[in-house]
Amino acid sequence: MVPRGNFLFDRRAQMLKPKQLSSIQQASIRKLVHYAYRNTAFYRKRFDDAGVRPESVKSLDDMSKIPFTVKTDLRDNYPLGILAVPLNRLYCLHASSGTTGKPIVVAYTRGDLERWSRLMGRTFDVAGVRKGDIVQNMYGYGLFTGGLGFHYGARAVGAIVVPTSVGNTKRQLMLMKDLQTTVAACTPSYMVYLCEASRAEGYEPRKDFVLRIGLFGAEPWSEEARKRIEDSFGLRAHDCYGMSELCGPGVAIECEQREGLHVWGDEFLVETIDPDTGEVLEPGREGELVFTMLSREAMPLLRYRSRDLSRVFEDECACGRYHSRIARIKGRSDDMLIVGGVNVFPSQVEHVLMNVPGLGDQYQIIVSHEELDRLTVKVETAKHRLQDPELTKTVQEDLYATLGIRANVEFLEEGTLPRHEGKARRVVDLRPKE
Ligand code: ADP
Ligand code: ZN
């Protein structure tokens, strides 16, 4: 439970009771459907094509009448086809990092930007960031929503933000020590890399740095990666989730209980669906997350299919917040590799590797095809273990137990695989494209 005296940014919203949350959602959904129908040709057509009248969506029970919006809708309407306000009401534009194709342009009114900053302020607050904290923001500044999103969050809670942006690892470490940074914000894969890089540069992470909180997100990561980061730096790591289409980071954040990430229910309605059939799933079942952002002005998105796989819990959290929670993201449905007919998520491979003592932090997953699909996992280890048959056997058996297929395992000397400054790219698919 959050002690009463503690600083709570946007306290009223953070501590909304279930009844209050559902009445906000009920009222917002009706308004939102009318708003999107009236102000965007895109939703007018989408509703008309589906034969749904906006007034037939009267409550949350009618959600399933609303047609889904998907990533290709945004790409097809590139750059600003889903705008619900005149251009002169826009305040800024961002674009997705485009890891999966053409970028998606995201538009904000002044109100949207303020709302987003407030959500980011809550993110920082929930993780325990306070006025006076020094936040080193190593997310990329620019079109990507990560950099500025975390920047606004730090500003909202009155912390001191150091906008180092991505890269220049030596300088990051120098500033981290000299400025006595207390909060690190970056992708988890970069933080894992900083563990290694700091030692290589002669730092003793727990002595030279005073980090106490980490805000890590923008890509899937494992409990094991969290443990490595926390053990190295002595900080407490929080998982943060978001995506550009939903303004950016700030959709969900782990509270001190760290049993799932709270999705801010006064702004987002979250559903889980079966990604193949679109059927809505009961809370607790794994499926694709679908988000509706309730009070956005520039670019309303109704039932937006995230492609991210997770589960939703609606029970009360020991922290006292009632905003429902999602489990750690397992991966995107489009990250999933199908190798010889078996589904493989990169996050499962990471989970296995990080549990084997003696392996380094960096790995790569290679899929090739020679008569059959083949999976090769390359992972770094100490020089004297490169030819260790016992270690090979352990990794192969553990991968088989988790994935259900055999993988070739190759050990590489530490420092060989590429390091990543933003989102890690660990999969190399060499199979011929049709
Ligand atoms: P892009 O699609 O261009 O990479 P974004 O930068 O907006 O666009 O990335 C959003 C995606 O990043 C999410 O849909 C999700 O797949 C992933 N992501 C964000 N935060 C997390 C997180 N905490 N855990 C796992 N995946 C995450
Ligand atoms: Zn909680």
Side-chain angles (χ1 to χ4, degrees), residues 204-226:
E204 276 183 63
R206 276 180 173 254
K207 241 173 78 193
D208 289 320
F209 306 123
V210 296
L211 293 172
R212 53 180 207 97
I213 293 171
L215 296 170
F216 305 123
E219 62 182 0
W221 53 309
S222 58
E223 268 318 302
E224 292 75 20
R226 160 142 59 203

Side-chain angles (χ1 to χ4, degrees), residues 71 75 95-104 144-146 188 216-221 238-246 248-249 252 261 304 306-309 328-335 423 425:
K71 256 181 220 277
R75 296 223 168 88
S96 80
S97 47
T99 40
T100 51
K102 205 169 172 185
I104 286 168
F144 173 58
T145 52
F216 305 123
E219 62 182 0
W221 53 309
H238 290 258
D239 191 2
C240 324
Y241 170 79
M243 78 188 72
S244 345
E245 301 93 302
L246 300 174
L261 293 78
Y304 184 66
S306 67
R307 306 219 193 149
D308 291 328
L309 302 174
R328 247 167 199 289
I329 305 289
K330 183 171 172 191
R332 291 197 212 196
S333 52
D334 45 10
D335 270 353
K423 292 180 194 243
R425 296 212 169 91

